[in-house]
Amino acid sequence: FTTAEQRNLAKVNKDIGFLAALFELKLSSKDLEYYRAHKGELESGRFVGFFNQYANRYGIPNLPRDRFSSLDRNFSIVEDFYEAAKKRDHILIENAVNKMDQDAQDMAVLVTGGFHTEGITDELKRRGCSFVVVTPRITDLNAENYYIDVMTNKKTPFEELLGAGEAENN
């Protein structure tokens, strides 16, 4: 970049992409650290101000400041989701170790999602456990993601079918 304006545009673009990942529940543990460190920079007023600063120059209409305020109001919802996910790291390991002790096993396979990798590996290291991380290579980003569907309360095709049946009976 050769100007401050270009650097600012690149940062705004990066942060808008980050917000999309945040609200689509696609952050990694490292991304969550970035969010915590930069939360104040991710409020809607910054983006509206940035766009309105250049609106006249590029012939686009100004954005009303209150139009995106719902973004700011919903940060707490996603924060709660990610905090619960962080707590699950410890609980998953605790449950696995307890089950291994109960069954007198010294090996187990624990399958979790990508967000949990760092927290779980940190917990296993802290306990002095050996482990292997296997990460799939996802090549089709348009494929259905059942985990996200469950976490966002999206109805399964079966639930939709049941709901349609209930509507027909009423």
Side-chain angles (χ1 to χ4, degrees):
F1 304 108
T2 58
T3 68
E5 184 177 282
Q6 290 171 344
R7 283 186 287 281
N8 195 18
L9 175 61
K11 175 85 166 100
V12 165
N13 185 53
K14 175 186 174 198
D15 286 343
I16 288 173
F18 179 84
L19 283 175
L22 175 75
F23 283 99
E24 291 171 0
L25 307 177
K26 294 181 177 178
L27 293 190
S28 68
S29 293
K30 289 205 184 304
D31 292 336
L32 187 58
E33 290 173 23
Y34 177 86
Y35 169 75
R36 288 178 176 149
H38 297 90
K39 181 180 175 185
E41 300 169 28
L42 298 169
E43 293 177 352
S44 64
R46 172 178 165 237
F47 301 107
V48 172
F50 174 83
F51 287 110
N52 287 346
Q53 178 182 354
Y54 297 102
N56 289 337
R57 183 189 305 177
Y58 295 106
I60 57 174
N62 279 328
L63 296 173
R65 289 204 175 267
D66 62 341
R67 184 172 180 191
F68 298 95
S69 60
S70 64
L71 176 78
D72 301 329
R73 288 191 305 272
N74 287 301
F75 278 129
S76 63
I77 294 169
V78 293
E79 287 170 2
D80 290 347
F81 170 82
Y82 286 109
E83 285 307 312
K86 294 288 282 181
K87 288 176 184 174
R88 281 193 302 274
D89 292 346
H90 176 75
I91 293 167
L92 287 166
I93 293 299
E94 196 63 36
N95 289 345
V97 169
N98 288 342
K99 180 67 173 161
M100 289 170 61
D101 289 344
Q102 178 184 342
D103 295 347
Q105 296 292 316
D106 62 356
M107 286 190 288
V109 174
L110 179 63
V111 179
T112 67
F115 178 85
H116 298 286
T117 303
E118 185 176 349
I120 286 176
T121 56
D122 288 347
E123 181 71 16
L124 290 170
K125 286 176 192 174
R126 188 183 69 72
R127 291 173 180 248
C129 298
S130 298
F131 61 91
V132 174
V133 175
V134 177
T135 305
R137 182 170 178 225
I138 300 172
T139 58
D140 184 0
L141 297 177
N142 294 321
E144 289 190 47
N145 188 325
Y146 296 109
Y147 178 73
I148 296 297
D149 290 349
V150 167
M151 298 308 292
T152 58
N153 292 322
K154 182 178 176 184
K155 289 186 177 183
T156 66
F158 182 68
E159 290 171 321
E160 288 178 8
L161 181 63
L162 287 176
E166 289 175 7
E168 289 174 9
N169 291 331
N170 290 334

